[in-house]
Amino acid sequence: MLTNVPLTKSWSKGRFIFFLQRSDLMAQVAVMAPDGQVEKIERDGNPAALAALRQMAALMLKAALQHEFDGIRLGAAVAEDDQFYVDSDKDDQQVSADQLDDLAAAMKQIAKDGLKVEFAEVDLDAALAEAGDDQFTNELLKEHAHDGKVALYRLGDAAIVAEAPILVYANVVKHYQLLSVAGAYWKGMSSNPMLQRIYGTVFFNGDDLAADLKARQEAKERDHRVIGNQLDLFFVDPKVGAGLPYWMPKGSTIRRTIERYIIDREVSDDYEHVYTPVLMNLDAYKTSGHWQHYRDDMFPPMDMGDGEMLELRPMNCPSHIQVYKHHIRSYRDLPLRIAELGMMHRYEKSGALSGLQRVREMTLNDGHTFVALNQIQKEFAKILKLIMSVYEDFDITDYTFRLSYRDPKNTDKYYANDEMWEQAQSMLKGAMDDLGLDYYEAEGEAAFYGPKLDIQTKTALGNEETMSTIQLDFMLPERFDLHYVGEDGKQHRPVMIHRGVVGTMERFIAYLTEIYKGAFPTWLAPQQVTIIPVSDDKHGAYADQLAAQLKAANVRVKVDHRNEKMGYKIREAQTQKVPYTLVVGEDEQANGSVSVRKYGEKDQTSLSKQEFLNEILADIASYSRKN
């Protein structure tokens, strides 16, 4: 494929040896830019060098696929932040995981042969002729052609479009591993063919590769999609709706527990909880600006046939604004706090969907407070205290604060009210200082309608993501013409504060699943107790009686009456990560006691029924905090 195109630049054998020698001596590597220019850059600790290494590994994998499979069609060969991959398609059976070792061996031979990347700028027609009937390569060539020509990197008989820096020499690629095979729609669109995607990872030294493989194994063990399947929490079936999770009974229990907790916390913090429709007239989203700014992330409007256009809501803010506008508001009503577990819909491409983290339907723990300007600082502090208190109950401790301001050198792209910006930013900073919290300031990171605080958390694998946000908004009250009657009897414009405590239920539960590795603390666990009678005939009735007492105290409990060996039942309770396993036999039945085994522990303790009830209720009431 693309084998006989003329090259505009080549490298001599002597130049090749020179670069290798200098590379070893100076810990540098030769990297080619998309224009064919070559330079030496530092290898170790250099993200640019690692990115170029991954691009070379992707090209080598593409060459290996061409060598191993005649007539294979090849899509993109991509270097990502932490891996590389190549998409492929065959008329017969697709590439399988069993063939990865053969592909890795072919890559090794490419390195051993001393192949190097050549740069070629060729006529598009010639490149298309070389590609033949490979529709995917043809599309890529056409997309990247300029003035009838296309720039390519070529490694032996394989070629890719030159669009990112790449290593020059294949023999630098020594420490790599092909990881997995998965399906992927061409260009991430479900209307396109499903291709076979082969993933790999590569580093400059073996220690880094070993550390990466270890981290990947940990990630696999913590993957909420894997755990969700093992514990039967949820599923997503593309045949009935990609990105639309189905919550199974256990997953629903976890979600319902979190939702009840959040609502109770917010109501106790003076929020008015509401329900609002998931549909709204498109005009509202035009007024809010969502249609203009986020149209690509919204589902197509529904034409009701009478001129009315309804839209699945991508945000809850316009809905809560309608609640505010439904009555005439006085300064005595402020701050007015409105909250909802609001269902939203956003269009995500099929290729971007991932378990519960990237979905098309989500329920946001959303809230909006309407305040007078002089109330911003106090309300901001109140919201922040609520968020930190919730974090404590979920045992979330690794987080940082980022205050985002407008860019003082480029104020034209922000809502035009200098005095309000300065006052609002000062209030947010003052609230953080009053609370004695460390934070960092990020100029230019504010939304165009107001400054904000982002709370950045660390995932189970150390990645940073935004968990909670407090966002000031001067624009929407203006666009929707919101007012309140002040003490002076005149109309005044409120400021709107958007806030999310734990984000969407979907992403939050994915985060917790990975943090807890599926071993949810007792208060969240879908099943808190498993009771195992030694003999169901002799001790089953006692187990049922005990379960009834626990259920009366709102403990989630099941009795394992199956005709299986007791050891098997105990192991399964551990596999399902049930916090407490109770074994009851002759002694327990005679004494009114239970034999208690906690998840992850081998030792058992004997407690009276009341002692165990006191223990588990205390565990639940303390949100399973050990202290």
Side-chain angles (χ1 to χ4, degrees):
M1 189 181 302
L2 300 177
T3 55
N4 299 316
V5 291
L7 304 182
T8 59
K9 188 169 297 209
S10 63
W11 298 93
S12 68
K13 185 83 171 176
R15 185 77 176 273
F16 175 42
I17 296 172
F18 167 77
F19 267 116
L20 281 181
Q21 292 170 342
R22 294 296 300 268
S23 230
D24 290 339
L25 290 173
M26 302 179 62
Q28 291 185 328
V29 288
V31 173
M32 183 180 290
D35 61 0
Q37 297 300 310
V38 176
E39 65 172 329
K40 293 176 291 181
I41 64 174
E42 294 296 325
R43 186 190 76 175
D44 296 330
N46 186 349
L50 191 55
L53 174 69
R54 292 188 182 116
Q55 191 63 66
M56 169 59 94
L59 178 51
M60 291 171 66
L61 175 56
K62 183 173 184 179
L65 284 162
Q66 285 183 208
H67 181 271
E68 293 294 309
F69 304 106
D70 292 335
I72 192 170
R73 293 178 292 277
L74 295 163
V78 177
E80 295 187 316
D81 289 342
D82 61 346
Q83 60 191 0
F84 64 91
Y85 69 81
V86 175
D87 289 340
S88 66
D89 187 40
K90 294 168 59 191
D91 289 331
D92 54 358
Q93 187 175 0
Q94 298 283 29
V95 178
S96 71
D98 294 338
Q99 296 170 305
L100 294 184
D101 288 343
D102 292 337
L103 288 171
M107 291 173 65
K108 185 176 181 179
Q109 187 61 48
I110 290 170
K112 186 177 179 180
D113 290 344
L115 295 183
K116 57 185 175 68
V117 171
E118 305 281 6
F119 177 80
E121 190 172 39
V122 303
D123 289 335
L124 175 60
D125 290 341
L128 292 173
E130 289 294 329
D133 61 356
D134 187 334
Q135 67 186 86
F136 310 114
T137 298
N138 283 331
E139 283 190 42
L140 290 173
L141 291 171
K142 291 175 183 177
E143 287 175 5
H144 291 85
H146 298 283
D147 299 325
K149 294 184 178 296
V150 61
L152 303 173
Y153 294 137
R154 196 181 76 184
L155 186 72
D157 291 339
I160 60 173
V161 174
E163 55 180 336
I166 190 170
L167 289 191
V168 174
Y169 302 105
N171 65 353
V172 178
V173 183
K174 299 177 181 178
H175 306 286
Y176 61 91
Q177 183 161 320
L178 298 183
L179 299 169
S180 61
V181 177
Y185 289 113
W186 174 235
K187 296 184 178 179
M189 297 179 62
S190 59
S191 57
N192 286 337
M194 173 74 77
L195 305 185
Q196 204 74 358
R197 178 167 293 177
I198 302 173
Y199 289 98
T201 184
V202 62
F203 289 89
F204 284 111
N205 64 73
D207 289 343
D208 288 344
L209 175 62
D212 181 69
L213 293 176
K214 182 178 180 181
R216 288 178 185 276
Q217 181 59 32
E218 176 71 11
K220 185 177 180 180
E221 292 174 359
R222 290 185 180 273
D223 190 328
H224 78 279
R225 295 166 298 182
V226 175
I227 295 172
N229 182 59
Q230 292 170 342
L231 301 185
D232 198 24
L233 304 180
F234 72 94
F235 71 88
V236 180
D237 187 347
K239 294 179 181 178
V240 294
L244 303 174
Y246 284 71
W247 294 87
M248 297 299 284
K250 288 182 179 180
S252 297
T253 299
I254 296 169
R255 174 170 172 164
R256 185 168 57 249
T257 302
I258 294 172
E259 290 176 344
R260 286 172 174 171
Y261 165 87
I262 288 292
I263 291 173
D264 288 346
R265 289 300 308 270
E266 290 178 338
V267 169
S268 69
D269 227 31
D270 299 322
Y271 280 87
E272 306 276 359
H273 256 265
V274 299
Y275 293 101
T276 58
V278 297
L279 290 169
M280 181 175 270
N281 193 294
L282 180 61
D283 290 341
Y285 296 114
K286 291 180 177 179
T287 301
S288 69
H290 287 100
W291 184 246
Q292 294 87 329
H293 291 282
Y294 307 110
R295 183 172 180 172
D296 291 342
D297 298 320
M298 298 169 66
F299 279 93
M302 290 174 274
D303 189 343
M304 305 309 293
D306 56 0
E308 183 182 25
M309 301 292 287
L310 293 181
E311 175 67 33
L312 281 169
R313 67 178 174 192
M315 283 288 188
N316 302 310
C317 347
S319 301
H320 292 181
I321 285 173
Q322 298 308 313
V323 174
Y324 180 93
K325 291 184 69 174
H326 189 64
H327 296 295
I328 297 173
R329 304 295 179 178
S330 161
Y331 70 94
R332 294 185 179 90
D333 298 322
L334 306 184
L336 178 64
R337 305 177 183 93
I338 299 171
E340 179 179 12
L341 291 169
M343 183 180 290
M344 310 183 308
H345 294 81
R346 296 181 185 176
Y347 175 72
E348 295 274 4
K349 291 184 178 180
S350 298
L353 299 173
S354 177
L356 297 177
Q357 289 176 324
R358 294 291 292 272
V359 293
R360 288 174 172 165
E361 178 184 275
M362 65 218 75
T363 298
L364 181 63
N365 161 224
D366 210 357
H368 297 90
T369 305
F370 300 87
V371 298
L373 189 61
N374 62 1
Q375 296 174 327
I376 290 176
Q377 184 166 334
K378 184 177 180 181
E379 186 64 21
F380 176 87
K382 180 181 177 67
I383 295 170
L384 185 51
K385 288 177 182 177
L386 171 63
I387 291 173
M388 291 191 295
S389 175
V390 169
Y391 281 13
E392 181 183 4
D393 289 342
F394 285 96
D395 197 27
I396 300 171
T397 58
D398 194 356
Y399 56 90
T400 56
F401 300 105
R402 180 180 70 193
L403 274 179
S404 298
Y405 304 144
R406 69 172 178 172
D407 185 350
K409 298 178 182 178
N410 184 18
T411 60
D412 291 343
K413 65 177 184 178
Y414 299 96
Y415 179 76
N417 190 322
D418 291 343
E419 181 181 358
M420 195 171 284
W421 272 97
E422 294 300 326
Q423 188 172 355
Q425 291 179 172
S426 176
M427 285 179 172
L428 265 58
K429 180 177 174 62
M432 296 297 290
D433 292 337
D434 288 347
L435 292 170
L437 298 172
D438 294 329
Y439 57 92
Y440 63 98
E441 299 168 287
E443 289 186 344
E445 293 298 318
F448 67 93
Y449 48 82
K452 63 177 179 174
L453 174 74
D454 289 321
I455 304 180
Q456 306 295 111
T457 57
K458 287 291 184 67
T459 66
L461 301 175
N463 299 318
E464 185 176 87
E465 65 179 29
T466 301
M467 176 71 73
S468 310
T469 298
I470 308 174
Q471 169 78 63
L472 299 192
D473 186 347
F474 311 129
M475 183 193 72
L476 288 186
E478 182 80 26
R479 287 191 169 186
F480 283 93
D481 195 25
L482 302 186
H483 299 96
Y484 68 91
V485 179
E487 291 184 78
D488 57 3
K490 298 179 181 178
Q491 288 190 336
H492 298 268
R493 187 83 69 197
V495 177
M496 190 174 178
I497 303 177
H498 308 251
R499 51 104 282 206
V501 177
V502 295
T504 68
M505 291 296 104
E506 289 75 12
R507 179 167 286 190
F508 187 54
I509 292 174
Y511 167 84
L512 292 178
T513 301
E514 296 182 355
I515 286 288
Y516 298 142
K517 214 171 182 176
F520 289 91
T522 307
W523 76 282
L524 281 177
Q527 184 177 329
Q528 295 164 327
V529 179
T530 291
I531 303 177
I532 300 174
V534 175
S535 168
D536 199 51
D537 291 339
K538 296 179 181 180
H539 316 118
Y542 176 65
D544 288 336
Q545 179 189 32
L546 177 59
Q549 291 176 310
L550 291 170
K551 287 179 181 177
N554 293 320
V555 176
R556 297 187 285 273
V557 56
K558 285 188 177 181
V559 179
D560 192 339
H561 287 295
R562 292 177 302 165
N563 185 25
E564 300 285 355
K565 292 182 179 180
M566 188 173 67
Y568 175 83
K569 293 181 181 181
I570 292 173
R571 286 193 298 275
E572 184 163 284
Q574 294 289 296
T575 300
Q576 290 296 304
K577 306 179 191 290
V578 179
Y580 292 91
T581 300
L582 308 184
V583 177
V584 294
E586 288 294 333
D587 291 343
E588 289 78 19
Q589 185 167 292
N591 300 327
S593 62
V594 292
S595 181
V596 183
R597 179 173 177 172
K598 293 183 180 179
Y599 171 74
E601 298 181 4
K602 294 182 179 180
D603 295 335
Q604 298 185 30
T605 57
S606 181
L607 297 174
S608 70
K609 291 189 293 184
Q610 190 60 50
E611 285 173 332
F612 173 70
L613 182 60
N614 292 342
E615 178 179 321
I616 192 171
L617 291 180
D619 188 355
I620 294 170
S622 67
Y623 301 107
S624 304
R625 291 193 292 258
K626 292 182 179 180
N627 59 348

